[in-house]
Amino acid sequence: MADEALFQFLHSEIIQYVNSAESGESENGRCVSKLESMGFRVGQGLIERHISVCRFTKDTPRFKDELDVMKFICKDFWTSVFKKQIDNLRTNHQGIYVLQDNKFHQLTQLSAGKQYLEHAPKFLAFTCGLVRGALSNLGVKSIVTAEVSVMPACKFQVMIQKM
Amino acid sequence: MADEALFQFLHSEIIQYVNSAESGESENGRCVSKLESMGFRVGQGLIERHISVCRFTKDTPRFKDELDVMKFICKDFWTSVFKKQIDNLRTNHQGIYVLQDNKFHQLTQLSAGKQYLEHAPKFLAFTCGLVRGALSNLGVKSIVTAEVSVMPACKFQVMIQKM
């Protein structure tokens, strides 16, 4: 039995539940921010776990610079969560990285029509948090946003916050 | 990067969030029932996906009887979600099955003290729903309950509902 679907179904359930639970004036914003925080903690947890496993096997992860950390996120981290790598990584070499996923799982559930684009932030918030949390536990403070141009392609922009 | 932790972290986040969102008189019961429903839909989804993949590869799953379905849940289904098989399956051959997991991931986060046993239902509800949903999409209607004796061992009891 393939297992890449588990995260996808669970992710949908979370969005649906958080969306229905966060009712009120600024419900959409609150829903997005809740999902982002959940993603952040999960991202932190995954990296903590990864580091402790590496320590145990004495195979401590070493990154020579920020770009190296970003490559780890695009390859190992993305594969462990989404069962595929990021399709394209670009940087301006001044602290901004753009990670492009040409077929982002979490968006394939939404129809491709433009009218669904307004719902996209809810489907991306958890993953933005996930990346921010992972980076944070790798010692890189960042702001992560996402943008959909043509579904289901998606770009995550990571702005490194210099300490 | 190992990925068996993703479900575990996500599951904790869901419990925490549902627990905080469902406030009111019977909050504990409502939290447990929400988690069970979420698990049910995820279980259904996983089986739907599995069946459609099998159809695509012309490797349609066939079960010769109820026990065969239960064995699939204990092996393939459990492994795909929890990365391990059920440790023991027992049945009275009259529609009751007991699935024992000697080290249930979702409980290893709780301390082993007796005072934590009262929180156990929240940590088991999603999985009860998961099994009920999976069985339901395999044509088996059931009631699934769970019980902890010595943490982190756990027994899931499946009572088949004859149509």
Side-chain angles (χ1 to χ4, degrees):
Chain A
M1 246 189 105
D3 63 350
E4 73 278 1
L6 179 63
F7 173 64
Q8 203 166 330
F9 287 123
L10 212 49
H11 184 258
S12 303
E13 282 298 321
I14 293 177
I15 292 173
Q16 218 169 315
Y17 182 74
V18 174
N19 197 34
S20 71
E22 299 298 325
S23 51
E25 280 172 43
S26 58
E27 49 182 287
N28 210 10
R30 225 157 69 184
C31 168
V32 165
S33 121
K34 279 276 176 194
L35 290 166
E36 208 272 346
S37 318
M38 289 169 104
F40 182 78
R41 285 186 299 268
V42 173
Q44 282 189 311
L46 289 174
I47 294 296
E48 257 163 46
R49 173 83 151 240
H50 177 64
I51 292 174
S52 75
V53 168
C54 288
R55 261 191 210 132
F56 187 71
T57 58
K58 300 212 171 126
D59 177 25
T60 318
R62 283 177 200 285
F63 301 105
K64 59 177 198 287
D65 55 21
E66 203 178 84
L67 182 62
D68 217 30
V69 173
M70 293 308 302
K71 284 181 182 165
F72 169 80
I73 295 291
C74 293
K75 288 184 186 171
D76 304 62
F77 186 74
W78 213 260
T79 304
S80 104
V81 178
F82 301 108
K83 317 298 171 202
K84 70 185 285 289
Q85 294 187 13
I86 274 287
D87 296 296
N88 191 273
L89 168 65
R90 278 185 302 168
T91 177
N92 68 351
H93 297 286
Q94 287 176 14
I96 294 186
Y97 296 85
V98 177
L99 288 65
Q100 180 164 331
D101 190 321
N102 294 332
K103 199 182 169 192
F104 187 57
H105 278 225
Q106 274 30 60
L107 285 175
T108 50
Q109 307 155 54
L110 274 179
S111 296
K114 270 213 165 160
Q115 70 271 36
Y116 296 103
L117 278 180
E118 61 178 301
H119 294 292
K122 275 184 285 198
F123 287 82
L124 300 170
F126 183 90
T127 306
C128 288
L130 202 65
V131 173
R132 192 170 67 86
L135 284 172
S136 131
N137 268 16
L138 291 167
V140 178
K141 210 180 154 195
S142 66
I143 294 173
V144 182
T145 53
E147 163 195 344
V148 178
S149 37
V150 182
M151 293 231 254
C154 173
K155 282 179 189 168
F156 294 89
Q157 181 175 287
V158 179
M159 287 175 62
I160 308 296
Q161 307 293 97
K162 296 292 172 204
M163 307 285 191
Chain B
M1 246 189 105
D3 63 351
E4 73 279 359
L6 179 63
F7 173 64
Q8 201 166 332
F9 287 123
L10 213 48
H11 184 257
S12 303
E13 282 298 320
I14 292 177
I15 293 173
Q16 218 169 314
Y17 182 73
V18 174
N19 198 33
S20 71
E22 301 297 325
S23 50
E25 279 171 44
S26 57
E27 49 182 287
N28 212 10
R30 224 157 69 185
C31 168
V32 165
S33 122
K34 280 275 174 195
L35 290 166
E36 208 270 348
S37 318
M38 289 169 104
F40 182 78
R41 286 186 298 268
V42 172
Q44 281 190 312
L46 288 174
I47 294 298
E48 260 163 45
R49 173 82 151 241
H50 176 63
I51 291 175
S52 75
V53 168
C54 287
R55 260 191 211 132
F56 186 72
T57 59
K58 301 210 170 125
D59 178 25
T60 317
R62 284 178 200 285
F63 300 105
K64 58 178 200 286
D65 54 20
E66 204 178 84
L67 181 61
D68 217 29
V69 173
M70 294 308 301
K71 284 181 182 166
F72 169 80
I73 295 289
C74 293
K75 287 183 185 173
D76 303 64
F77 185 75
W78 214 259
T79 303
S80 104
V81 178
F82 301 108
K83 316 300 172 203
K84 71 184 285 288
Q85 295 185 13
I86 274 288
D87 296 297
N88 191 272
L89 168 65
R90 278 186 302 168
T91 177
N92 68 351
H93 297 287
Q94 287 175 15
I96 295 185
Y97 296 85
V98 178
L99 288 65
Q100 180 163 332
D101 189 323
N102 294 332
K103 200 183 169 192
F104 187 57
H105 278 224
Q106 276 28 62
L107 285 175
T108 50
Q109 306 155 55
L110 274 178
S111 296
K114 269 214 167 160
Q115 70 271 35
Y116 295 103
L117 277 181
E118 59 177 305
H119 294 292
K122 276 184 285 198
F123 288 82
L124 300 171
F126 183 90
T127 305
C128 288
L130 201 66
V131 173
R132 192 169 67 85
L135 284 173
S136 132
N137 268 16
L138 291 167
V140 178
K141 211 180 153 196
S142 66
I143 294 173
V144 182
T145 53
E147 163 194 342
V148 177
S149 38
V150 183
M151 293 229 254
C154 174
K155 281 178 192 170
F156 294 89
Q157 181 176 287
V158 178
M159 287 176 63
I160 308 296
Q161 306 294 97
K162 295 293 172 201
M163 306 286 190

